[in-house]
Amino acid sequence: MKKFAMATVAVAALSAGVAQAYTVGTFSNGFVVPNVVHNGASDTTAVGLINQSGEARAVYWTFFDENGGALTSGCFAMKNRDYQPFVWSAESGSSMSGKRGYLVFALGETVAAPAAVPPIAFAPHKECADSAGLQTNGTLVAANTSPVAGAKISGSAFQVNATNKDVAFIPVIDGPLSMVATADLTRLDPGNLTVAAGAPSVGATAAGAAAPTAPQPTFSMRYAVGTGLDTSVVVWSTADQRGTYGVDVYNDQQVRKRLNLVLKKGKMNVFDPKTLAGLPSTHTDGFIEWTPGNGGTAPRDFADLGGTAGQVLTVAGGSVFTYSVVNSSDLSATQTILGSHR
């Protein structure tokens, strides 16, 4: 009976994540891998890229920590219709072991600007430039970009654990990416990436405000916990989402429990639903309703949220993405479920 129950949970978890309003599986000027970590070559994030831009392109990548700090970056060339494997443990080296964060892959601008646009400030190299602006998918957005129709790469990602003989799917957030006009792809900082179009957008919340001025999307994040079941919920955003949020947690009997969710990291948070203070023992299978940007309902100057004492935090607008990883030790299976939103 126990195995049957576990299988039922797995099927229910999968069916809950079928219809999503994210954009996935497209080609654009870049993408985000929202959860990246390695613990040596036997447990690492692996990414695969495809170039369908019609020409050889330079692809720039940057690894950010959970607060958006750029820790390391690089670049590689891709020929047209080329496939490029990217294994994080090999690219980052042993010094990054155990450091969790996210990767941004961006297509570099390598063509001359038309006469109507000021000259591009970033000089291209045959493979990678010392500095580079973002390719713009045919849209003229700033002086350091030019309209080229063929700005198209795509990506997929997995967490590969050779020791456990397990491979877990990691959702990739599609572009087009939007960056500030002065962004240099070789030297990105936390504020350079403003939008990843594959994820829903949220509005800004002024410092000390009770709520954002515009309606925010509400995410339903799946969880299943208990004997033989564990869940990790990943929350990623281009904005600073640090705060204490009131969330509604529902079980499979439609019973609601109001709890607090504390997000302590600026750009990326991973939490275990079992750590939510006050979670009833009856809430082993269900979902968590969370609305970004309402952290203003509680004081947002907490030093324990990663800021300094007395600091007032402002939630900037941007893109938000959530997903859950449900692991069943009884079934030796890991399922990835996108967070639904409305």
Side-chain angles (χ1 to χ4, degrees):
M1 291 295 293
K2 187 176 182 180
K3 292 292 184 182
F4 176 77
M6 293 300 103
T8 301
V9 169
V11 171
L14 283 174
S15 64
V18 172
Q20 306 295 338
Y22 297 113
T23 303
V24 296
T26 66
F27 287 88
S28 68
N29 65 348
F31 59 89
V32 177
V33 183
N35 185 14
V36 175
V37 67
H38 84 80
N39 296 289
S42 63
D43 182 12
T44 183
T45 304
V47 185
L49 298 93
I50 298 174
N51 177 17
Q52 288 280 17
S53 65
E55 61 182 334
R57 306 297 305 179
V59 178
Y60 295 82
W61 60 267
T62 302
F63 175 76
F64 297 89
D65 66 17
E66 295 157 301
N67 284 309
L71 299 187
T72 184
S73 61
C75 175
F76 51 84
M78 291 187 70
K79 297 179 180 179
N80 184 43
R81 292 182 173 169
D82 187 13
Y83 170 77
Q84 177 78 28
F86 184 97
V87 179
W88 179 232
S89 60
E91 294 290 342
S92 67
S94 59
S95 63
M96 291 290 176
S97 179
K99 293 184 183 295
R100 191 175 297 275
Y102 61 96
L103 277 165
V104 175
F105 291 88
L107 205 60
E109 176 64 84
T110 59
V111 297
V117 179
I120 297 175
F122 304 128
H125 186 271
K126 68 177 182 177
E127 288 189 357
C128 298
D130 291 333
S131 57
L134 179 68
Q135 182 66 261
T136 59
N137 278 318
T139 303
L140 190 64
V141 295
N144 69 334
T145 59
S146 60
V148 175
K152 296 179 180 179
I153 57 172
S154 72
S156 58
F158 298 88
Q159 188 70 25
V160 181
N161 190 317
T163 302
N164 295 335
K165 298 182 179 179
D166 191 20
V167 177
F169 171 69
I170 300 174
V172 166
I173 308 171
D174 285 0
L177 303 180
S178 296
M179 299 205 185
V180 297
T182 57
D184 177 353
L185 296 185
T186 68
R187 298 170 179 83
L188 294 181
D189 63 40
N192 286 153
L193 177 63
T194 57
V195 172
S201 296
V202 301
T205 302
T213 56
Q216 302 286 72
T218 295
F219 290 84
S220 296
M221 305 180 292
R222 282 283 287 114
Y223 73 90
V225 296
T227 304
L229 280 172
D230 291 287
T231 298
S232 295
V233 180
V234 179
V235 177
W236 176 88
S237 179
T238 59
D240 185 341
Q241 297 295 338
R242 285 177 292 173
T244 300
Y245 296 85
V247 296
D248 290 325
V249 183
Y250 292 85
N251 67 5
D252 55 357
Q253 302 298 316
Q254 298 177 288
V255 178
R256 179 181 70 90
K257 183 70 173 179
R258 187 71 170 175
L259 301 174
N260 281 334
L261 169 64
V262 180
L263 300 181
K264 294 186 177 183
K265 304 296 183 179
K267 302 288 187 176
M268 174 200 171
N269 286 265
V270 181
F271 70 91
D272 181 347
K274 288 186 294 188
T275 64
L276 296 179
L279 183 71
S281 60
T282 54
H283 281 55
T284 58
D285 190 17
F287 62 93
I288 302 165
E289 275 194 348
W290 169 65
T291 302
N294 69 357
T297 58
R300 301 202 74 245
D301 61 348
F302 295 158
D304 63 352
L305 294 179
T308 56
Q311 178 188 14
V312 178
L313 301 175
T314 301
V315 175
S319 302
V320 174
F321 190 88
T322 75
Y323 74 95
S324 302
V325 180
V326 181
N327 180 267
S328 169
S329 59
D330 287 344
L331 294 176
S332 298
T334 301
Q335 302 293 349
T336 301
I337 310 166
L338 294 181
S340 305
H341 59 86
R342 57 181 173 84

